[in-house]
Coordinates of all heavy atoms in Angstrom, one line a residue:
L149 N 132.6 92.2 22.8 CA 131.9 92.4 21.5 C 130.4 92.0 21.6 O 129.6 92.5 20.8 CB 132.5 91.6 20.4 CG 133.7 92.3 19.7 CD1 134.5 91.3 18.8 CD2 133.3 93.5 18.9
R150 N 130.0 91.2 22.6 CA 128.6 90.9 22.8 C 127.8 92.1 23.0 O 126.6 92.2 22.7 CB 128.4 90.0 24.1 CG 129.0 88.7 24.1 CD 128.8 88.0 25.4 NE 129.4 88.7 26.6 CZ 129.5 88.2 27.8 NH1 128.9 87.1 28.1 NH2 130.1 88.9 28.8
G151 N 128.4 93.2 23.6 CA 127.6 94.4 24.0 C 127.7 95.5 22.9 O 127.0 96.5 23.0
A152 N 128.6 95.3 21.9 CA 128.8 96.4 21.0 C 127.6 96.7 20.2 O 126.9 95.7 19.8 CB 130.0 96.0 20.0
G153 N 127.2 97.9 20.0 CA 126.0 98.3 19.4 C 124.9 98.6 20.4 O 124.7 97.8 21.3
S154 N 124.3 99.8 20.3 CA 123.3 100.1 21.4 C 122.1 99.2 21.3 O 121.6 98.9 20.2 CB 122.8 101.6 21.2 OG 123.9 102.4 21.4
R155 N 121.6 98.9 22.5 CA 120.3 98.1 22.6 C 119.2 99.0 23.0 O 119.1 99.4 24.1 CB 120.5 97.0 23.6 CG 121.8 96.2 23.5 CD 121.6 94.9 22.7 NE 120.4 94.2 22.9 CZ 119.7 93.7 21.9 NH1 120.2 93.8 20.6 NH2 118.6 93.0 22.1
Y156 N 118.4 99.4 22.1 CA 117.3 100.4 22.3 C 116.1 99.6 23.0 O 115.0 99.5 22.5 CB 116.9 101.1 21.1 CG 117.8 102.2 20.7 CD1 119.1 101.8 20.2 CD2 117.5 103.5 20.8 CE1 120.0 102.8 19.8 CE2 118.4 104.5 20.5 CZ 119.7 104.2 20.0 OH 120.6 105.1 19.7
A157 N 116.4 99.0 24.1 CA 115.5 98.1 24.8 C 115.8 98.1 26.3 O 116.9 98.5 26.7 CB 115.6 96.7 24.3
Q158 N 114.8 97.8 27.1 CA 115.0 97.9 28.6 C 116.2 97.0 29.0 O 116.4 95.9 28.6 CB 113.7 97.5 29.2 CG 113.1 96.2 28.7 CD 111.6 96.2 28.9 OE1 110.9 97.1 28.6 NE2 111.1 95.1 29.5
A159 N 117.0 97.6 30.0 CA 118.2 97.0 30.4 C 118.6 97.5 31.8 O 118.3 98.7 32.1 CB 119.3 97.3 29.5
S160 N 119.1 96.7 32.7 CA 119.4 97.1 34.0 C 120.8 96.7 34.4 O 121.0 95.8 35.2 CB 118.4 96.4 35.0 OG 117.1 96.6 34.6
P161 N 121.9 97.3 33.9 CA 123.2 96.9 34.2 C 123.6 97.0 35.7 O 124.5 96.3 36.1 CB 124.1 97.8 33.4 CG 123.2 99.0 33.0 CD 121.8 98.5 33.0
G162 N 122.9 97.8 36.5 CA 123.2 98.0 37.9 C 123.0 96.7 38.7 O 123.6 96.5 39.8
E163 N 122.3 95.7 38.1 CA 122.1 94.4 38.8 C 123.5 93.8 39.0 O 123.6 93.0 40.0 CB 121.4 93.5 37.8 CG 119.9 93.7 37.7 CD 119.3 92.8 36.6 OE1 119.6 93.1 35.4 OE2 118.6 91.9 36.9
R164 N 124.5 94.1 38.2 CA 125.8 93.4 38.4 C 126.5 93.9 39.6 O 127.6 93.3 39.9 CB 126.6 93.6 37.1 CG 126.3 92.8 35.9 CD 126.5 91.3 36.2 NE 125.2 90.7 35.9 CZ 124.8 89.5 36.4 NH1 125.5 88.9 37.3 NH2 123.6 89.1 36.1
L165 N 126.1 94.9 40.3 CA 126.8 95.3 41.5 C 127.0 94.2 42.5 O 127.9 94.2 43.3 CB 126.1 96.5 42.2 CG 126.2 97.9 41.5 CD1 125.6 99.0 42.4 CD2 127.6 98.2 41.1
A166 N 126.0 93.3 42.6 CA 126.1 92.2 43.5 C 127.4 91.4 43.2 O 128.1 91.0 44.1 CB 124.9 91.3 43.4
E167 N 127.6 91.0 41.9 CA 128.7 90.3 41.5 C 130.0 91.1 41.7 O 131.1 90.5 42.2 CB 128.6 89.8 40.1 CG 129.5 88.7 39.7 CD 129.2 88.2 38.3 OE1 128.0 88.4 37.8 OE2 130.1 87.7 37.6
I168 N 130.0 92.4 41.4 CA 131.1 93.2 41.6 C 131.6 93.2 43.1 O 132.7 93.1 43.4 CB 130.8 94.7 41.1 CG1 130.7 94.7 39.6 CG2 131.9 95.7 41.6 CD1 130.3 96.0 38.9
A169 N 130.6 93.4 43.9 CA 130.9 93.4 45.4 C 131.4 92.1 45.9 O 132.3 92.1 46.8 CB 129.6 93.8 46.2
A170 N 130.9 91.0 45.3 CA 131.3 89.7 45.9 C 132.5 89.1 45.2 O 133.1 88.1 45.7 CB 130.1 88.7 45.7
T171 N 133.0 89.6 44.1 CA 134.1 89.0 43.4 C 135.4 89.8 43.6 O 135.4 91.1 43.5 CB 133.8 89.0 41.9 OG1 132.5 88.6 41.7 CG2 134.8 88.1 41.1
P172 N 136.5 89.1 43.9 CA 137.8 89.9 44.0 C 138.1 90.7 42.8 O 137.8 90.2 41.7 CB 138.8 88.8 44.3 CG 138.1 87.6 44.7 CD 136.7 87.7 44.1
G173 N 138.7 91.8 42.9 CA 139.2 92.6 41.8 C 138.4 93.9 41.6 O 137.4 94.2 42.4
R174 N 138.7 94.7 40.6 CA 138.0 95.9 40.3 C 137.4 95.9 38.9 O 137.9 95.1 38.0 CB 139.1 97.1 40.3 CG 139.8 97.2 41.7 CD 140.8 98.4 41.7 NE 140.1 99.6 41.8 CZ 140.4 100.7 41.1 NH1 141.3 100.6 40.2 NH2 139.8 101.9 41.3
F175 N 136.3 96.6 38.8 CA 135.5 96.4 37.6 C 135.1 97.8 37.0 O 134.8 98.8 37.7 CB 134.2 95.7 37.9 CG 134.5 94.3 38.4 CD1 134.8 94.0 39.7 CD2 134.5 93.2 37.5 CE1 135.1 92.7 40.1 CE2 134.8 91.9 37.9 CZ 135.1 91.7 39.2

Side-chain angles (χ1 to χ4, degrees):
L149 275 169
R150 295 177 295 188
S154 296
R155 311 267 322 137
Y156 283 72
Q158 48 206 48
S160 309
E163 283 172 293
R164 280 300 124 205
L165 284 189
E167 198 174 332
I168 290 176
T171 313
R174 299 180 79 225
F175 296 84

